């Protein structure tokens, strides 16, 4: 089996034609700002209904729904940690998001998955530290049937941090 390819792109994740996009959600799963708001807007109101039926999600955990009006067939909702200074288990919780999303994606038969930089916006996780955790965790855990994992960055700086982490 060929190894899973890891790529960094600078894009709006709602535009990507992949099997699953990961959402940086909150524990209610009922939407919010940032990438969560963008995904809900692009997927349409049925996503909200599907999320409501799930009844919430713990930090570090994930839930899967259809992608509805998105090109992506699935949305994997991950609840990242709120940054509290680094001594509240934030690193492990962030890694759990990346790992659990890979497991759920594989269960759903996904071959291509795109992640945003979970927790690095409204939740305040330091961007470089988060990029290192994202790349390290996915590199260690990605396996077939997955073929490609995309780190979808929303700025040049985020993309640079992920590319640097990938090169190390
Ligand atoms: N495509 C890709 N990345 C994006 C997009 C987009 N369209 N929009 C923003 N980003 P954030 P969090 C990047 O704040 O920190 C919500 O209200 C953004 O630049 O979306 O995990 C939820 O409901 C940043 O690098 O998520 C939660 O309450 C990254 O996505 C809370 O925010 C994550 O930023 C979650 O906060």
């Amino acid at each position: 089996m060929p190894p899973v390819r890891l790529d960094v792109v600078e894009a709006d994740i709602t535009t990507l034609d992949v099997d699953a996009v990961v959402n940086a959600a909150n524990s209610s799963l009922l939407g919010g700002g940032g990438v969560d708001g963008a995904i809900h807007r692009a997927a349409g109101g049925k996503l909200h209904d599907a999320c409501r039926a799930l009844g919430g999600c713990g930090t570090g955990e994930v839930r899967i729904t259809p992608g509805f009006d998105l090109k992506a067939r699935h949305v994997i909702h991950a609840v990242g940690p709120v940054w509290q200074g680094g001594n509240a288990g934030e690193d492990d919780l962030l890694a759990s998001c990346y790992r659990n999303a890979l497991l759920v994606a594989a269960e759903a038969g996904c071959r291509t998955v795109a992640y945003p930089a979970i927790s690095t916006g409204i939740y305040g996780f330091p961007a470089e530290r988060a990029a290192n955790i994202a790349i390290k965790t996915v590199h260690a855990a990605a396996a077939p049937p997955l073929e490609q994992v995309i780190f979808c960055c929303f700025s040049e700086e985020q993309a640079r941090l992920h590319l640097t982490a990938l090169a190390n």
Side-chain angles (χ1 to χ4, degrees):
M1 281 287 192
V4 181
R5 216 172 86 203
L6 308 190
D7 289 315
V8 177
V9 304
E10 198 185 325
D12 174 351
I13 202 167
T14 65
T15 66
L16 298 183
D17 191 359
V18 287
D19 291 326
V21 292
V22 178
N23 183 19
N26 60 60
S27 56
S28 78
L29 299 181
L30 296 179
V35 69
D36 194 10
I39 285 175
H40 274 267
R41 274 192 302 279
K46 284 186 183 162
L47 181 61
H48 191 263
D49 298 341
C51 285
R52 182 185 296 282
L54 294 172
C57 178
T59 304
E61 296 174 15
V62 307
R63 298 287 185 274
I64 190 167
T65 65
F68 298 105
D69 293 346
L70 289 169
K71 283 185 195 151
R73 283 194 291 127
H74 307 282
V75 179
I76 299 172
H77 306 266
V79 181
V82 177
W83 180 254
Q84 295 176 61
N87 293 317
E90 295 95 322
D91 290 353
D92 288 346
L93 288 166
L94 187 64
S96 291
C97 286
Y98 282 90
R99 209 177 299 113
N100 286 329
L102 283 181
L103 290 174
V104 166
E107 266 169 34
C110 296
R111 287 184 297 181
T112 53
V113 177
Y115 285 93
I118 301 168
S119 283
T120 65
I122 293 163
Y123 280 0
F125 204 113
E128 183 176 7
R129 185 161 169 156
N132 288 331
I133 292 168
I135 298 284
K136 188 172 126 199
T137 305
V138 171
H139 187 263
L146 276 170
E147 294 172 2
Q148 184 192 22
V149 175
I150 296 171
F151 297 92
C152 180
C153 298
F154 211 42
S155 68
E156 206 179 321
E157 172 64 4
Q158 278 281 10
R160 191 187 63 75
L161 291 173
H162 284 77
L163 284 169
T164 302
L166 203 48
N168 288 330

